[in-house]
Amino acid sequence: MKDRIVSAEVLVCSPTRNFVTLKVVTADGVVGYGDATLNGRELSVASYLRDHVAPLLIGRDPSRIEDTWQYLYRGVYWRRGPVTMAAIGAVDVALWDIKGKTLGQPVYQLLGGAVRDRILSYTHATGWDTAELLDSINAKRAIGFQAVRAQSGVPGLDSVYGVHRGAQGYEPAGRGAYPVEETWDTDAYLNHVPGVLAAVRDHVGPELKILHDAHHRLTPQQAARLGKSVEDLDLYWLEDLTPAEDQNALRLVRQHTTTPLAIGEVFNTIWDCHHLISENLIDFIRVAIVHAGGISHVRKIFALAEVHQVRGGPHGPSDVSPITLGASVHLGMATPNFGIQEFMGYDPLVDEVFPHAWSFDDGYLTPGEQPGIGVEMNEELASLYPYEPAYLPVARRRDGSMTDW
Ligand code: EZ4
Ligand code: CO
């Protein structure tokens, strides 16, 4: 007899930061986990799942992954958007996890099997000044990374995206009832950052892959100027140069520079990026498995990208759970045009709450051979860390007007 879903439960926990997890259980006792974390808006996805999706899952055949995706996407009328798509993403990953466990296979095998032995990954290096940034890069290289995202402070600004405060590693979300307000000055940033990236290239030599994230803060003209000014540094990519809503913004940038462009961590569907991909306006598409509808949908985005020589470079910050990272690594193993996986790393407590078969070694990630996604949840430990309100910062220009964070 066909197995049936008998429960779908939403687990919200905050082991150093908030995570939303969907736990799906079948009549045969198979448990699948999906990540539904949407940084700073966690409870909205928890409610969407708990109040509107979980009841519809009960009694469904868990093997019908694509049909369930279509049911939750097309069956709602109100399509797309980060909340809806993170909820669908969580269901999708939980069902792939169940399928893998039911068939006794790691998910990458079900996606067609390995096309590579391991997944190249990059991590974040950060410093308030160039000397500190170079130390941070040295430390990341010492643990094996061959690709590093370099972010530095900007003279005259007290907080800058991607740069840590105090002794802790960088974590953009801050606990508390209100978002932190930061002051941002794009001119100061543009005057400073090309010199920093040049110093980084000079320090590391030609081999290390260097990436940089402008976090949606530039106009197309400013972005084109930045791309041009760092062209000789042979960056692996410049990320999120312009706000991501405007799919035409990168055309001007493209016309002026050969620096590779990456975008898409805030995209939810293939409809957010099909133009960028099919018009060859980007080199890397950065959708996260959780925020773009799960493995089933991101697989389609990557397939479209393959036609246009665009590579996958999924988002992998600390705010997507180890379940999403595992799902991303499985998909990467089976995707010919996969480029690189962001791997910010997790607090040891997060690794303990989500014990995982995936592992990092010598700059590469591998999914492990555990059936399913290979990430479980220590629910008892998680329950000791209840949800805490936390927000990403907001940014204002020097004149007080709001700008993109
Ligand atoms: O700011 O995940 O490339 N990585 C990033 C991240 C994002 C956060 C937002 O939740 O841009 O650090
Ligand atoms: Co980014």
Side-chain angles (χ1 to χ4, degrees):
M1 213 183 84
K2 285 252 179 293
D3 199 6
R4 291 278 169 236
I5 295 171
V6 293
S7 87
E9 193 185 342
V10 180
L11 306 164
V12 182
C13 64
S14 195
T16 71
R17 63 162 357 281
N18 292 319
F19 292 108
V20 179
T21 310
L22 177 70
K23 178 188 184 185
V24 177
V25 183
T26 76
D28 290 350
V30 185
V31 176
Y33 289 106
D35 174 30
T37 308
L38 185 62
N39 206 3
R41 290 294 184 271
E42 293 87 358
L43 298 185
S44 58
V45 189
S47 159
Y48 191 104
L49 280 168
R50 187 183 289 132
D51 299 330
H52 300 293
V53 173
L56 308 180
L57 294 177
I58 307 303
R60 286 186 77 82
D61 174 356
S63 75
R64 298 184 63 150
I65 302 177
E66 181 67 25
D67 182 58
T68 301
W69 195 97
Q70 298 287 332
Y71 181 78
L72 294 175
Y73 183 81
R74 297 186 192 284
V76 182
Y77 190 61
W78 310 107
R79 296 181 183 187
R80 306 164 62 181
V83 176
T84 299
M85 297 312 294
I88 295 177
V91 174
D92 186 78
V93 170
L95 295 187
W96 278 105
D97 194 24
I98 288 171
K99 191 179 283 292
K101 287 168 175 165
T102 303
L103 299 174
Q105 292 290 327
V107 165
Y108 78 85
Q109 291 289 7
L110 309 179
L111 297 170
V115 296
R116 56 175 53 77
D117 302 324
R118 50 193 188 153
I119 308 279
L120 180 67
S121 73
Y122 76 91
T123 197
H124 297 185
T126 159
W128 274 108
D129 56 27
T130 305
E132 201 186 23
L133 173 60
L134 298 182
D135 285 348
S136 170
I137 292 172
N138 290 343
K140 302 304 178 186
R141 292 184 92 176
I143 53 173
F145 281 102
Q146 293 155 40
V148 173
R149 189 188 85 162
Q151 306 292 136
S152 91
V154 172
L157 294 178
D158 331 320
S159 53
V160 174
Y161 166 75
V163 185
H164 70 99
R165 293 160 215 271
Q168 295 293 310
Y170 179 66
E171 166 55 60
R175 283 178 169 170
Y178 293 93
V180 168
E181 299 221 351
E182 298 182 347
T183 300
W184 180 246
D185 182 339
T186 299
D187 292 334
Y189 164 81
L190 284 173
N191 284 338
H192 186 65
V193 76
V196 172
L197 293 173
V200 170
R201 175 55 81 203
D202 193 46
H203 175 76
V204 300
E207 297 295 322
L208 190 82
K209 294 179 170 57
I210 304 169
L211 301 80
H212 178 73
D213 190 343
H215 224 255
H216 327 267
R217 293 172 184 203
L218 311 181
T219 65
Q221 181 276 338
Q222 290 168 331
R225 195 179 117 211
L226 176 61
K228 240 172 130 160
S229 69
V230 297
E231 212 163 77
D232 291 349
L233 303 178
D234 187 26
L235 297 186
Y236 191 78
W237 77 37
L238 276 178
E239 169 181 344
D240 285 344
L241 288 178
T242 56
E245 295 96 326
D246 181 1
Q247 294 201 21
N248 281 315
L250 291 178
R251 189 178 302 282
L252 184 85
V253 185
R254 203 59 162 169
Q255 283 162 350
H256 287 276
T257 180
T258 58
T259 298
L261 305 177
I263 204 160
E265 68 187 39
V266 302
F267 293 169
N268 315 125
T269 68
I270 199 165
W271 295 282
D272 298 332
C273 51
H274 71 97
H275 182 72
L276 286 165
I277 292 171
S278 60
E279 305 268 316
N280 294 89
L281 299 180
I282 54 173
D283 299 280
F284 293 90
I285 180 67
R286 303 219 58 235
V287 282
I289 305 293
V290 45
H291 299 133
I295 289 173
S296 299
H297 193 65
V298 172
R299 187 161 65 139
K300 292 177 188 177
I301 296 175
F302 287 174
L304 175 68
E306 187 184 359
V307 178
H308 298 280
Q309 297 194 52
V310 173
R311 285 183 279 170
H315 199 204
S318 53
D319 50 271
V320 301
S321 92
I323 300 169
T324 287
L325 199 87
S328 218
V329 174
H330 279 281
L331 184 57
M333 282 299 279
T335 301
N337 59 320
F338 196 88
I340 198 164
Q341 173 65 51
E342 182 177 24
F343 178 45
M344 209 170 146
Y346 295 101
D347 187 280
L349 180 61
V350 175
D351 286 324
E352 220 184 314
V353 169
F354 297 100
H356 48 81
W358 58 257
S359 59
F360 170 82
D361 184 42
D362 201 27
Y364 289 85
L365 290 158
T366 41
E369 293 300 318
Q370 210 165 294
I373 300 290
V375 184
E376 299 303 316
M377 187 172 179
N378 182 339
E379 293 173 39
E380 206 178 309
L381 182 61
S383 71
L384 302 177
Y385 302 95
Y387 169 79
E388 293 199 25
Y391 292 99
L392 288 169
V394 298
R396 292 185 187 277
R397 300 183 189 92
R398 290 199 186 278
D399 68 359
S401 58
M402 289 290 304
T403 185
D404 300 297
W405 175 75

